[in-house]
């Protein structure tokens, strides 16, 4: 993770403990990968008494401070006697080696495939070094905190104390805030102070705040009538779906009890879902016998409710269900709100002979993190972990995300499968009424983590098989299957295949080449992790019939991605049955399976996951919405699709060879605009490549194709001049290159033009002369010019807004017939040459052709006049510059503010601006 750069502050402390200055490799497992530690240093948020003098620096871990929702109101300091529990989270000793190990044991075809680390060995191989743990514990004890046992994986040191003790230990104040929802939360006023010698070994401190609170991803059928729901009739129910699939089915008496509540009309039972998703041929021989599945819960459940559900079916469901309390939680302390009941009922309904352990922790402080840790950190952890609890990725602290990631990476190393619901707010995951009305394009956590299988939602119109399905989308209030691109994690190397890269893929930065997501999912990864991976029925209108005494009628019809995640956990359990080694992390095998003939997925191609009636607050400039549509192959609404379990279980047990095309590089990154540059694309599984584009829709001539290379001759530049495009390699429905990893620059004429105020043009170098206004009468002088992308033409603009076009420059309009408040001072063209902007000295903007209006300074009081403008590389915005050096940035993915000279003392005024 890249280090944050902030202002430093010297602190001192009587007790300074030095950590070991060496990192030990794990050569016995894999070769070490060099990594660097991150250091976060900031100025204290408020004045405090300094500790005793010392030569050691102390730094603040700002990654441990959450962002409060807009509209939160400060109340008062937390009472000093309030008991606080927190987790100090350490980094693995070599994060790069852990990533490499996880990739190797999870990737079919790897020599180390499924050679997992035995439970209980993680600490000695990947946990923090014993000297580091000793130093951390010594520091914390010296600060007056009570310490719990270090976690078995060597990555978490629990601490506790009063708010007053925590204040002194970490040099932070704990403050109470009232959220817009009315909930009162605790938040630190600064990042906790940690020894500089240990800062690089820590992810941060979790639990100082109680703002983070995962939410259950379930939706009751009666919510569909709420505001924002889809109008019209519900999908067809299962009134007479045909013969039941093999396996447990509800008894007649049980069906009568369910149907006695009219609200349960159209509810599905486990046998209906078994029919839709082809579990039939797996039963009764494969029902999860001998496989332990762990269900993550932050609410209790009642065994009597479980027994009622089991007794509803014939033949009897024989799953063993037990509870495990975490951090003092009572797993059988009540019926909960229905989330635990849904998770349990779905899992034992689809895998009726599993051994189910329900891990129940408190939904406060460190409870959510500790519950994950208890499911992974032990001598006999469950083979499969299912979680239907999550929250918006953007609302978690970086320390929380990284701490969670370490636990999930441990699960992968040990061969555990982790399944997570993708959320119920569609592409706008941060929305959670009434606590948050944030409609940015965001994804759910932990579903966005690169070490879990993320499960989205569909609506089933007919059971089939194959089922007739579309994206589950009934709005923000009634629920929509979650999906989109992470803003944190890079796209893992295993995430590939038809549809994975598309126009919605986030490309790396055109200026720096950096990935748009800051945290690596593995060496060399770029772009951003995409979710979901897979899907299944989540629509509450065809929800599962669940029994919970928390419901007035006992039986209720429940949906949400909480319905789909445990179904996929059941598939993993069925695949694990009788196997000498667990199937472990599913995603590499799932994505490779998509590239094979006879896909084990039902491809969902109808609908989208932009919640009905809502518009994201931060849509990209291109492509247009909705965000995001279902398409053939992978998509950001339903992932790879829904399961054909009878085929999928076999593919997971014995994955076939990888045939997905992979590109590792191109031989040339530039060539003349006229085309003809020979470019070789290197990689693997390339024999099916049938088109190589230099920019979307600009195909090259293919000279030769082998399994490891494709040689092409570049086409002419799409602009006929200078242009940087992405090389896109197409193999059937699969496209590689939308992530920006293969840029190619067309080289146009070299030189420049100058323009005089009378419109005279002077060309230099190899630029051409295409005409001028020299010697022609002008109402006002020329004040600027802009070339076309091909360099085969240009526009001139006069101070009265008149525009003159020459060569291949098109005329799209002018302000020459308008009464201007201030004169025009410059112009800029769009990257495709299909339009242009004019700017006046008061900051007013005039747009023509395909040039969009993204804002102006025309209504601002300017200290000095605007003197020029420049377009962003994507044409989605522009910058203005004033004569005092002030910069105004508008729109565009790359239209950010990078600094100005507005506060500087200039010897002469600014007169223009340029951008690459």
């Amino acid at each position: 993770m890249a280090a944050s750069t902030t202002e430093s502050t010297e602190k001192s402390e009587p007790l300074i403990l030095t950590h070991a200055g060496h990192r030990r490799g794990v050569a016995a497992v894999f070769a070490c990968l060099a990594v660097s530690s991150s250091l976060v240093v900031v100025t204290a948020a408020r004045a405090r008494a300094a500790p005793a003098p010392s030569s050691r620096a102390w730094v603040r871990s700002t990654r441990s401070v959450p962002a409060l929702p807009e509209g939160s109101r400060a109340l008062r300091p937390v009472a000093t006697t309030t008991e606080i529990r927190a987790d100090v989270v350490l980094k693995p000793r070599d994060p790069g080696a852990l990533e490499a190990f996880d990739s190797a044991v999870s990737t079919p075809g790897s020599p180390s495939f499924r050679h997992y680390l035995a439970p209980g060995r993680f600490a000695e191989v990947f946990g923090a070094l014993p000297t580091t743990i000793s130093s951390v514990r010594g520091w914390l004890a010296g600060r007056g905190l009570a310490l719990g046992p270090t976690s078995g994986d060597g990555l978490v040191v629990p601490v506790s104390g009063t708010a007053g003790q925590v204040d002194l230990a970490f040099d932070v104040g704990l403050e109470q805030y009232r959220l817009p929802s009315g909930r009162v939360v605790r938040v630190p006023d600064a990042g906790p102070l940690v020894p500089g010698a240990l800062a690089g070994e820590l992810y941060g401190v979790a639990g100082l705040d109680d703002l983070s609170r995962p939410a259950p991803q379930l939706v009751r059928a009666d919510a569909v009538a709420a505001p924002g729901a889809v109008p019209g009739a519900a999908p067809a129910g299962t009134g007479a779906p045909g013969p039941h699939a093999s396996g447990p089915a509800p008894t007649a008496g049980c069906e009568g009890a369910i149907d006695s509540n009219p609200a349960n009309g159209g509810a599905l039972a486990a046998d209906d879902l078994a029919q839709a998703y082809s579990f039939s041929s797996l039963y009764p021989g494969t029902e999860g016998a001998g496989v332990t599945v762990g269900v993550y819960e932050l609410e209790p459940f009642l065994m009597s409710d479980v027994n009622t559900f089991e007794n509803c079916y014939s033949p009897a469901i024989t799953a063993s269900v037990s509870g495990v309390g975490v951090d003092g939680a009572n797993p059988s302390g009540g019926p909960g709100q229905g989330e635990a009941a849904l998770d349990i009922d779905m899992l034992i309904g689809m895998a009726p002979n599993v051994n189910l352990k329900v891990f129940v922790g408190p939904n406060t402080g460190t409870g959510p993190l500790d519950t994950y840790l208890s499911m992974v950190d032990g001598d006999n952890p469950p083979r499969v972990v299912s979680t239907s609890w999550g929250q918006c990725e953007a609302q978690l602290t970086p320390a929380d995300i990284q701490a969670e990631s370490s636990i999930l990476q441990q699960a992968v190393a040990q061969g555990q499968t982790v399944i997570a619901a993708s959320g119920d707010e569609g592409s706008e995951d941060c929305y959670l009424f009434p606590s948050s009305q944030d409609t940015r394009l965001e994804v759910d956590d932990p579903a966005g983590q690169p070490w879990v299988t993320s499960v989205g939602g569909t609506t089933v119109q007919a059971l089939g098989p194959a089922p007739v399905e579309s994206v589950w989308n009934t709005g923000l209030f009634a629920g929509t299957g979650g999906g989109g691109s992470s803003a944190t994690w890079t796209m893992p190397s295993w995430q590939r295949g038809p549809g994975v890269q598309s126009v919605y893929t986030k490309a790396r930065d055109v200026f720096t080449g950096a990935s748009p997501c800051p945290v690596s999912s593995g060496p060399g990864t770029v772009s951003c992790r995409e979710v979901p991976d897979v899907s299944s029925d989540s629509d509450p209108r065809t929800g599962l019939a669940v029994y919970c005494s928390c419901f007035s009628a006992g039986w209720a019809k429940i949906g949400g991605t909480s319905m789909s995640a445990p179904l996929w956990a059941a598939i993993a359990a069925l695949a694990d049955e009788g196997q000498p080694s667990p199937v472990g992390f599913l995603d590499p095998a799932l994505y490779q399976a998509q590239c094979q003939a006879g896909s084990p997925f039902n491809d969902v191609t109808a609908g989208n996951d932009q919640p009905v009636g809502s518009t994201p607050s931060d849509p990209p400039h291109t492509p247009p919405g909705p965000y995001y549509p279902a398409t053939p192959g992978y998509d950001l609404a339903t992932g790879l699709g829904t399961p054909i379990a009878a085929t999928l279980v076999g593919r997971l047990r014995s994955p076939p060879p990888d045939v997905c095309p992979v590109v590792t590089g191109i031989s040339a990154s530039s060539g003349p605009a006229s085309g003809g540059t020979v470019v070789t694309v290197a990689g693997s599984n390339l024999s099916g490549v049938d088109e190589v584009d230099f920019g979307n829709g600009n195909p090259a001539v293919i000279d030769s194709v082998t399994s490891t290379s494709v040689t092409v001759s570049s086409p002419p530049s799409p602009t006929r001049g200078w242009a940087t495009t992405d090389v896109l390699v197409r193999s059937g429905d699969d496209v590689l290159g939308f992530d920006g990893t293969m840029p190619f620059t067309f080289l146009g004429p070299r030189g420049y033009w100058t323009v005089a105020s009378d419109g005279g043009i002077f060309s230099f170098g190899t630029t051409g002369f295409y005409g001028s206004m020299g010697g022609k009468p002008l109402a006002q002088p020329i004040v600027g010019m802009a070339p076309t992308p091909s360099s085969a033409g240009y526009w001139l603009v006069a101070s009265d807004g008149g525009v003159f076009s020459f060569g291949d420059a098109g005329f799209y309009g002018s302000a020459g017939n308008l009464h201007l408040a201030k004169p025009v001072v410059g112009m800029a063209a769009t990257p495709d040459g299909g339009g242009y902007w004019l700017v006046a000295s008061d900051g007013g903007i005039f747009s023509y052709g395909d040039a969009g209006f993204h804002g102006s300074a025309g209504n601002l009081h300017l200290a000095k006049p605007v003197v020029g403008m420049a377009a962003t590389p994507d044409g989605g915005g522009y910058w203005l510059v004033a004569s005092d050096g002030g910069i105004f940035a508008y729109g565009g993915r790359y239209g950010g503010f990078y600094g100005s000279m507005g506060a500087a003392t200039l010897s002469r005024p600014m007169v223009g601006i340029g951008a690459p």
Side-chain angles (χ1 to χ4, degrees), residues 830-903:
T830 59
D832 64 359
Y836 42 75
W837 298 273
L838 312 182
V839 61
S841 65
D842 61 358
I845 294 290
F846 306 89
S847 55
Y848 300 94
D850 65 0
F853 177 78
H854 305 288
S856 80
N859 59 347
L860 302 179
H861 177 71
L862 303 179
K864 294 292 182 179
V866 168
V867 293
M869 76 178 301
T872 61
D874 63 351
Y878 36 75
W879 295 277
L880 313 182
V881 63
S883 64
D884 61 358
I887 295 290
F888 306 89
Y890 299 95
R893 180 177 176 183
Y894 306 105
F897 176 78
Y898 301 103
S900 81
M901 296 299 292

Side-chain angles (χ1 to χ4, degrees), residues 558-570:
I558 308 296
T561 51
S562 289
M563 176 182 171
S564 54
L567 182 143
W568 274 88

Side-chain angles (χ1 to χ4, degrees), residues 569-599:
I571 291 174
L574 299 184
D576 275 342
E577 182 177 345
Q579 301 303 299
S581 185
V583 296
F585 181 38
L586 302 184
D587 283 9
L590 292 176
Y591 282 85
Q592 288 189 17
Q594 185 203 18
C595 296
Q596 295 282 343
S599 172

